Amino acid sequence: MIDLGVSKLALIAVVALVVVGPERLPKVARMAGNLFGRAQRYMADVKSEVNRQMEIEEFKKLREESASALKEVENSINSTVQEAGTHLSDQADIFETTFEKTPLDEQEVLRKTKRQGRSSWGVRRAARPVWFKRSAGIRTRVQSGAARMKRFHHTAGK
């Protein structure tokens, strides 16, 4: 910006005093201060607008780059899924030709999971695999009657 020292300001003040006169000098100084302040605010607004436009351009560029990267990832995932699907279907064909499907029999599962020396009903029930309990619809958690009633009344009130 303009380099104004004390000597230059004093010279400007003396010239302004001679040109304007002592009566109108305070009014002119106030008007010059107001104009200088407006010019500074205008320059600050222009600078912030330019910075904002630059940030918007950078954001748009970043958004386009991220969208293209996302498309590349999506395409690679889709190709991987397709390859895995074809591989799994080939494996399933091989598996189906090799093995026959047999239905699950509860008695057979109980016989296989029964522990030696323990034949109580609770032990046999606990020894069942979780996957079998889920497929057969057997409860896996024990809940007291009070807890069941609380759950029932809680859901019935809604």
Side-chain angles (χ1 to χ4, degrees):
M1 202 157 165
I2 301 172
D3 185 27
L4 293 176
V6 176
S7 62
K8 290 181 183 178
L9 285 176
L11 181 64
I12 291 172
V14 169
V15 170
L17 181 62
V18 171
V19 172
V20 176
E23 302 90 31
R24 293 182 10 207
L25 184 62
K27 198 182 277 187
V28 170
R30 248 186 311 225
M31 188 170 53
N34 284 339
L35 289 174
F36 186 69
R38 285 183 189 172
Q40 280 184 335
R41 284 191 295 276
Y42 177 74
M43 290 302 290
D45 288 343
V46 168
K47 190 184 290 186
S48 68
E49 184 66 28
V50 168
N51 287 338
R52 191 176 310 123
Q53 289 297 330
M54 288 173 55
E55 288 174 0
I56 288 173
E57 290 299 321
E58 290 175 5
F59 178 72
K60 285 180 181 178
K61 188 183 295 182
L62 178 66
R63 187 178 70 186
E64 289 172 1
E65 290 173 1
S66 63
S68 64
L70 185 63
K71 276 286 192 200
E72 290 175 13
V73 169
E74 184 179 1
N75 290 337
S76 67
I77 288 174
N78 285 338
S79 65
T80 304
V81 166
Q82 288 175 351
E83 290 174 11
T86 57
H87 182 68
L88 285 176
S89 65
D90 293 343
Q91 293 296 325
D93 292 341
I94 293 170
F95 181 76
E96 286 177 0
T97 58
T98 307
F99 301 102
E100 291 182 15
K101 293 184 179 179
T102 57
L104 293 177
D105 183 24
E106 184 175 356
Q107 296 300 324
E108 185 179 338
V109 170
L110 284 176
R111 186 176 46 80
K112 287 181 179 179
T113 59
K114 186 176 178 181
R115 295 181 186 170
Q116 273 186 323
R118 297 180 181 174
S119 61
S120 71
W121 175 82
V123 171
R124 280 186 291 159
R125 184 179 174 101
R128 292 180 186 161
V130 176
W131 61 266
F132 181 77
K133 289 179 183 178
R134 286 186 184 140
S135 66
I138 299 172
R139 276 190 260 147
T140 56
R141 288 190 232 151
V142 178
Q143 197 173 34
S144 69
R148 281 193 301 261
M149 291 303 291
K150 182 178 180 184
R151 189 180 75 200
F152 174 73
H153 288 299
H154 178 69
T155 58
K158 288 187 178 180

